[in-house]
Amino acid sequence: MVTPNTDEDDLKLSSKLNAWLFINDNLFDQKDSFCTKNLQISEKILQRYRIIFTSALQDISVSLSYDDLQLPHDVELKLRSLDTGLRDIGLCASKLPEKIQERVIYGLDKYIKGVLQETYVRSSSADSSLSISYDTFFSMRGNAGAVDWVFELALGLDKVELKEDVRKSELWKQFFKKAKYHICLFNDIVSRNKEAEEESLDNFVLISESLWQLTTRQAFSGTTTELDTSISEMLKLKLDLQSKFGDPITPAISCIENWVVGHVIWELASFSGRRPKIPCISQFESNLGWQ
């Protein structure tokens, strides 16, 4: 759904990374998990991931000890599996051009930074009355959503190599950012009930309720407005990008659009299996006209 133009091998790679991200998040997305109670160990775990992934890209075998982490047995077993999976993903990605590999590593670094930020917010040591501004929330949320990582991989699999003048242009930065927001905010809508049970403070709907004193209905309404705004701005930026850079920019735009649309369809298709439906979800099921 999110990488529809790839061949079979690339589709496997895309699927492996997305699956890995969901499994890894289970270590970090609960308020009282081992990782949220041990922030220094969490940082070490995430930095290990970088070593494993970048080594695999170069087809270098690394053996990292678990002894210094002093992990509970169940956490160590999960981590060993995640290490193995990430090594496999890195080996699969090693066939990508070097410049694209660099961008994928950049995406991983953004993810690591975001997970650390969110893990702190979830941790018991965090102030429950912590005030998070709109800009601070989005800078944190966009990173931890791993959107840079999966977008950069998708661009690579679509064989899109953006020139530096495009990457550095404010138009592309804003287009990319609005797409990131949409991915994260739509996830926050369908994950609201689950994350409320986990007392999460990194969900836009819950942030709107707990810190900005909105009712649940107002919070859902405000989040859907943010979604609509993101799409409207993406469409305008798309026209501006095409006007400035011409046809060569079209594959990159299509790649990001595919991820946004595919993510919505996937969320709707899988939603009933994860949580009882929330009231506002019907509006997305009845109207996907913004595609």
Side-chain angles (χ1 to χ4, degrees), residues 36 39 120 122-127:
T36 55
L39 298 179
Y120 172 74
R122 289 187 179 105
S123 71
S124 301
S125 60
D127 184 352

Side-chain angles (χ1 to χ4, degrees), residues 153-167:
L153 179 63
L155 288 166
L157 297 182
D158 277 1
K159 299 176 176 58
V160 175
E161 194 168 332
L162 288 170
K163 293 182 178 179
E164 279 304 302
D165 62 330
V166 176
R167 281 200 178 276

Side-chain angles (χ1 to χ4, degrees), residues 118 132-138 140-141 181 184-192 195 200-216 218-227:
E118 285 199 347
I132 301 177
S133 71
Y134 181 92
D135 290 339
T136 299
F137 170 81
F138 275 110
M140 177 181 71
R141 183 68 182 88
Y181 285 179
C184 295
L185 289 175
F186 200 90
N187 177 78
D188 287 355
I189 286 176
V190 298
S191 298
R192 184 268 175 198
E195 294 184 359
S200 172
L201 266 179
D202 47 18
N203 178 298
F204 190 73
V205 182
L206 294 174
I207 286 278
S208 300
E209 294 176 60
S210 62
L211 297 186
W212 302 331
Q213 302 301 305
L214 299 182
T215 65
T216 300
Q218 289 172 331
F220 275 129
S221 177
T223 306
T224 55
T225 298
E226 291 282 346
L227 285 170

